[in-house]
Amino acid sequence: MSFHEVLFPVDIALNSEGGPTRKTDIVALVSGHEERNAPWAGSRRAFNAGYGVKSVADIEDVIAFFEARHGRLYGFRFRDPFDFKSCRVAQTPAPDDQLIGTGDGVETSFQLVKRYASGAASYARPIQKPVAGSVRVAVDGVEQAQGADFTLDETTGGVTLASAPGAGLSVTAGFLFDTPVRFDTDELRINLAAFQAGDIPSIPLLEILI
């Protein structure tokens, strides 16, 4: 897939509107009951970055970014204002935030994930675009040093430990991350007079699966 490892302007992103979307097929039965099915394995996030545009300079930055991405052709990184940490937004990531695996004495490769839990149910979201320099990893509660004890593929979220954790030892991580997205339109239609009058331009973005 065509993807540019470049970040959408953060000051615009952090004032955008959006969140997760799921797809559920529902069939209403003659009895009044329903049958529900989820065709998607996970959710996809959609955003309107237009809410973050506050000045003509912001519009110019978005147009330049849009042109460099060739509209919908190339994906890019986007900082979700509501969900960009392994912990709560108001907290600081710690190396024990998220369980990313359990040692078996052989495996050294683990994928960053973030779990969303409510009651007994949970959803594990693969994190493929961690922020460089933000990832902290621990094995059985002992923090590891990046470079010496583990390496990180910042384009996939893959963590490789220098040595395999012993059987049953937990492998955890804390991190900042971006969401891989693309523009969901091949045209930007922005009216300067309407913008100055308070209208919000439409700049739709859609999460992509990598």
Side-chain angles (χ1 to χ4, degrees), residues 138-176:
V139 175
D140 197 31
V142 179
E143 186 164 7
Q144 308 293 293
Q146 186 169 355
D149 299 321
F150 76 93
T151 57
L152 171 71
D153 187 336
E154 296 163 359
T155 66
T156 66
V159 172
T160 303
L161 297 173
S163 59
L169 298 184
S170 63
V171 182
T172 57
F175 44 83
L176 303 179

Short mmCIF file of all heavy atoms in Angstrom, two decimals, residues 138-176:
data_model
loop_
_atom_site.label_atom_id
_atom_site.label_comp_id
_atom_site.label_asym_id
_atom_site.label_seq_id
_atom_site.Cartn_x
_atom_site.Cartn_y
_atom_site.Cartn_z
N ALA A 138 8.53 -3.49 28.98
CA ALA A 138 8.95 -4.19 30.20
C ALA A 138 8.71 -5.68 30.05
O ALA A 138 7.77 -6.11 29.38
CB ALA A 138 8.20 -3.65 31.42
N VAL A 139 9.57 -6.47 30.65
CA VAL A 139 9.41 -7.92 30.73
C VAL A 139 9.31 -8.29 32.21
O VAL A 139 10.24 -8.00 32.99
CB VAL A 139 10.59 -8.66 30.07
CG1 VAL A 139 10.44 -10.17 30.27
CG2 VAL A 139 10.66 -8.33 28.58
N ASP A 140 8.18 -8.88 32.58
CA ASP A 140 7.93 -9.26 33.97
C ASP A 140 8.11 -8.05 34.91
O ASP A 140 8.65 -8.19 36.01
CB ASP A 140 8.86 -10.39 34.38
CG ASP A 140 8.38 -11.12 35.64
OD1 ASP A 140 7.14 -11.18 35.85
OD2 ASP A 140 9.22 -11.60 36.42
N GLY A 141 7.69 -6.86 34.41
CA GLY A 141 7.75 -5.66 35.23
C GLY A 141 9.07 -4.92 35.21
O GLY A 141 9.18 -3.83 35.80
N VAL A 142 10.08 -5.47 34.55
CA VAL A 142 11.40 -4.84 34.49
C VAL A 142 11.53 -4.12 33.15
O VAL A 142 11.48 -4.75 32.09
CB VAL A 142 12.53 -5.87 34.64
CG1 VAL A 142 13.89 -5.19 34.54
CG2 VAL A 142 12.39 -6.61 35.97
N GLU A 143 11.70 -2.80 33.19
CA GLU A 143 11.78 -2.03 31.95
C GLU A 143 13.04 -2.38 31.16
O GLU A 143 14.12 -2.56 31.72
CB GLU A 143 11.74 -0.53 32.24
CG GLU A 143 11.67 0.31 30.97
CD GLU A 143 11.24 1.75 31.21
OE1 GLU A 143 11.12 2.15 32.40
OE2 GLU A 143 11.03 2.47 30.22
N GLN A 144 12.86 -2.46 29.84
CA GLN A 144 13.95 -2.79 28.92
C GLN A 144 14.45 -1.52 28.21
O GLN A 144 13.70 -0.57 28.04
CB GLN A 144 13.47 -3.80 27.88
CG GLN A 144 12.78 -5.03 28.45
CD GLN A 144 13.72 -5.91 29.24
OE1 GLN A 144 14.64 -6.51 28.69
NE2 GLN A 144 13.49 -6.00 30.55
N ALA A 145 15.69 -1.54 27.81
CA ALA A 145 16.30 -0.39 27.15
C ALA A 145 16.21 -0.56 25.63
O ALA A 145 16.64 -1.60 25.10
CB ALA A 145 17.75 -0.22 27.57
N GLN A 146 15.64 0.44 24.97
CA GLN A 146 15.56 0.36 23.51
C GLN A 146 16.96 0.41 22.92
O GLN A 146 17.79 1.22 23.32
CB GLN A 146 14.70 1.49 22.94
CG GLN A 146 14.47 1.36 21.43
CD GLN A 146 13.41 2.31 20.91
OE1 GLN A 146 12.75 3.01 21.67
NE2 GLN A 146 13.23 2.34 19.60
N GLY A 147 17.21 -0.45 21.97
CA GLY A 147 18.53 -0.53 21.36
C GLY A 147 19.32 -1.67 21.94
O GLY A 147 19.80 -2.55 21.22
N ALA A 148 19.44 -1.70 23.27
CA ALA A 148 20.19 -2.77 23.92
C ALA A 148 19.33 -4.00 24.15
O ALA A 148 19.77 -5.14 23.91
CB ALA A 148 20.77 -2.28 25.25
N ASP A 149 18.11 -3.78 24.64
CA ASP A 149 17.24 -4.91 25.00
C ASP A 149 16.13 -5.18 23.99
O ASP A 149 15.60 -6.29 23.94
CB ASP A 149 16.61 -4.67 26.37
CG ASP A 149 17.65 -4.52 27.47
OD1 ASP A 149 18.65 -5.26 27.43
OD2 ASP A 149 17.46 -3.66 28.35
N PHE A 150 15.75 -4.17 23.23
CA PHE A 150 14.71 -4.38 22.21
C PHE A 150 14.85 -3.37 21.10
O PHE A 150 15.42 -2.29 21.27
CB PHE A 150 13.31 -4.31 22.83
CG PHE A 150 12.82 -2.91 23.13
CD1 PHE A 150 12.06 -2.20 22.20
CD2 PHE A 150 13.11 -2.29 24.34
CE1 PHE A 150 11.60 -0.91 22.48
CE2 PHE A 150 12.66 -1.02 24.63
CZ PHE A 150 11.90 -0.32 23.70
N THR A 151 14.32 -3.74 19.95
CA THR A 151 14.25 -2.83 18.80
C THR A 151 12.79 -2.68 18.41
O THR A 151 11.96 -3.55 18.69
CB THR A 151 15.07 -3.35 17.60
OG1 THR A 151 14.60 -4.66 17.23
CG2 THR A 151 16.55 -3.42 17.93
N LEU A 152 12.50 -1.56 17.75
CA LEU A 152 11.13 -1.24 17.37
C LEU A 152 11.07 -0.90 15.89
O LEU A 152 11.88 -0.11 15.40
CB LEU A 152 10.62 -0.05 18.19
CG LEU A 152 9.29 0.55 17.77
CD1 LEU A 152 8.14 -0.39 18.11
CD2 LEU A 152 9.08 1.92 18.44
N ASP A 153 10.11 -1.48 15.19
CA ASP A 153 9.82 -1.07 13.82
C ASP A 153 8.72 -0.01 13.90
O ASP A 153 7.56 -0.34 14.14
CB ASP A 153 9.36 -2.27 12.98
CG ASP A 153 9.20 -1.92 11.50
OD1 ASP A 153 9.01 -0.72 11.18
OD2 ASP A 153 9.28 -2.83 10.67
N GLU A 154 9.09 1.25 13.71
CA GLU A 154 8.14 2.35 13.87
C GLU A 154 7.11 2.40 12.76
O GLU A 154 6.13 3.14 12.86
CB GLU A 154 8.91 3.67 13.94
CG GLU A 154 9.81 3.77 15.17
CD GLU A 154 10.86 4.85 15.05
OE1 GLU A 154 10.90 5.51 13.99
OE2 GLU A 154 11.64 5.02 16.01
N THR A 155 7.29 1.63 11.70
CA THR A 155 6.33 1.63 10.59
C THR A 155 5.29 0.52 10.72
O THR A 155 4.28 0.52 10.01
CB THR A 155 7.04 1.47 9.24
OG1 THR A 155 7.66 0.18 9.16
CG2 THR A 155 8.11 2.55 9.06
N THR A 156 5.51 -0.44 11.64
CA THR A 156 4.57 -1.54 11.80
C THR A 156 4.13 -1.75 13.25
O THR A 156 3.14 -2.42 13.51
CB THR A 156 5.18 -2.87 11.31
OG1 THR A 156 6.28 -3.23 12.16
CG2 THR A 156 5.65 -2.76 9.87
N GLY A 157 4.88 -1.19 14.21
CA GLY A 157 4.57 -1.43 15.62
C GLY A 157 5.11 -2.74 16.13
O GLY A 157 4.72 -3.19 17.21
N GLY A 158 6.03 -3.35 15.39
CA GLY A 158 6.62 -4.62 15.83
C GLY A 158 7.76 -4.39 16.81
O GLY A 158 8.64 -3.57 16.57
N VAL A 159 7.74 -5.13 17.92
CA VAL A 159 8.79 -5.06 18.94
C VAL A 159 9.57 -6.37 18.90
O VAL A 159 8.98 -7.45 18.94
CB VAL A 159 8.19 -4.85 20.34
CG1 VAL A 159 9.27 -4.98 21.42
CG2 VAL A 159 7.51 -3.50 20.43
N THR A 160 10.90 -6.27 18.83
CA THR A 160 11.75 -7.46 18.85
C THR A 160 12.69 -7.38 20.04
O THR A 160 13.50 -6.45 20.15
CB THR A 160 12.57 -7.58 17.55
OG1 THR A 160 11.69 -7.61 16.43
CG2 THR A 160 13.40 -8.85 17.56
N LEU A 161 12.58 -8.35 20.92
CA LEU A 161 13.43 -8.40 22.11
C LEU A 161 14.77 -9.06 21.78
O LEU A 161 14.84 -9.95 20.93
CB LEU A 161 12.73 -9.17 23.23
CG LEU A 161 11.43 -8.55 23.75
CD1 LEU A 161 10.76 -9.50 24.74
CD2 LEU A 161 11.70 -7.22 24.41
N ALA A 162 15.81 -8.64 22.48
CA ALA A 162 17.14 -9.21 22.23
C ALA A 162 17.21 -10.66 22.65
O ALA A 162 17.96 -11.45 22.06
CB ALA A 162 18.19 -8.39 22.97
N SER A 163 16.42 -11.03 23.65
CA SER A 163 16.37 -12.43 24.08
C SER A 163 14.94 -12.80 24.41
O SER A 163 14.15 -11.95 24.85
CB SER A 163 17.27 -12.65 25.31
OG SER A 163 16.88 -11.81 26.38
N ALA A 164 14.61 -14.06 24.20
CA ALA A 164 13.24 -14.51 24.42
C ALA A 164 12.88 -14.52 25.90
O ALA A 164 13.64 -15.05 26.71
CB ALA A 164 13.06 -15.91 23.83
N PRO A 165 11.74 -13.93 26.26
CA PRO A 165 11.30 -13.97 27.66
C PRO A 165 10.99 -15.40 28.09
O PRO A 165 10.52 -16.22 27.28
CB PRO A 165 10.02 -13.12 27.67
CG PRO A 165 10.08 -12.32 26.40
CD PRO A 165 10.80 -13.16 25.42
N GLY A 166 11.24 -15.70 29.35
CA GLY A 166 10.95 -17.03 29.86
C GLY A 166 9.47 -17.34 29.82
O GLY A 166 8.62 -16.44 29.76
N ALA A 167 9.15 -18.62 29.89
CA ALA A 167 7.76 -19.06 29.82
C ALA A 167 6.93 -18.42 30.92
O ALA A 167 7.31 -18.43 32.10
CB ALA A 167 7.69 -20.58 29.93
N GLY A 168 5.81 -17.83 30.51
CA GLY A 168 4.89 -17.24 31.45
C GLY A 168 5.19 -15.80 31.84
O GLY A 168 4.37 -15.19 32.55
N LEU A 169 6.31 -15.26 31.41
CA LEU A 169 6.65 -13.88 31.76
C LEU A 169 5.86 -12.91 30.88
O LEU A 169 5.77 -13.09 29.67
CB LEU A 169 8.15 -13.62 31.60
CG LEU A 169 9.08 -14.44 32.49
CD1 LEU A 169 10.52 -14.00 32.29
CD2 LEU A 169 8.68 -14.32 33.96
N SER A 170 5.31 -11.89 31.49
CA SER A 170 4.51 -10.92 30.73
C SER A 170 5.41 -9.93 30.01
O SER A 170 6.45 -9.51 30.52
CB SER A 170 3.57 -10.17 31.68
OG SER A 170 4.31 -9.43 32.63
N VAL A 171 4.99 -9.57 28.81
CA VAL A 171 5.66 -8.53 28.01
C VAL A 171 4.67 -7.39 27.86
O VAL A 171 3.57 -7.57 27.31
CB VAL A 171 6.09 -9.06 26.63
CG1 VAL A 171 6.83 -7.98 25.85
CG2 VAL A 171 6.96 -10.30 26.77
N THR A 172 5.01 -6.23 28.38
CA THR A 172 4.09 -5.09 28.37
C THR A 172 4.75 -3.88 27.71
O THR A 172 5.97 -3.84 27.53
CB THR A 172 3.67 -4.73 29.81
OG1 THR A 172 4.85 -4.45 30.59
CG2 THR A 172 2.89 -5.86 30.45
N ALA A 173 3.93 -2.89 27.38
CA ALA A 173 4.46 -1.70 26.72
C ALA A 173 3.57 -0.49 26.97
O ALA A 173 2.36 -0.61 27.20
CB ALA A 173 4.59 -1.93 25.21
N GLY A 174 4.18 0.67 26.91
CA GLY A 174 3.48 1.95 26.94
C GLY A 174 3.99 2.80 25.80
O GLY A 174 5.17 2.69 25.43
N PHE A 175 3.14 3.65 25.23
CA PHE A 175 3.54 4.34 24.01
C PHE A 175 2.57 5.44 23.63
O PHE A 175 1.43 5.50 24.12
CB PHE A 175 3.62 3.34 22.85
CG PHE A 175 2.46 2.38 22.80
CD1 PHE A 175 1.25 2.73 22.22
CD2 PHE A 175 2.54 1.13 23.38
CE1 PHE A 175 0.17 1.87 22.20
CE2 PHE A 175 1.47 0.23 23.39
CZ PHE A 175 0.28 0.62 22.79
N LEU A 176 3.02 6.31 22.75
CA LEU A 176 2.16 7.21 22.00
C LEU A 176 2.02 6.61 20.61
O LEU A 176 2.92 5.90 20.14
CB LEU A 176 2.78 8.61 21.90
CG LEU A 176 3.13 9.34 23.20
CD1 LEU A 176 3.76 10.69 22.89
CD2 LEU A 176 1.91 9.51 24.07
#
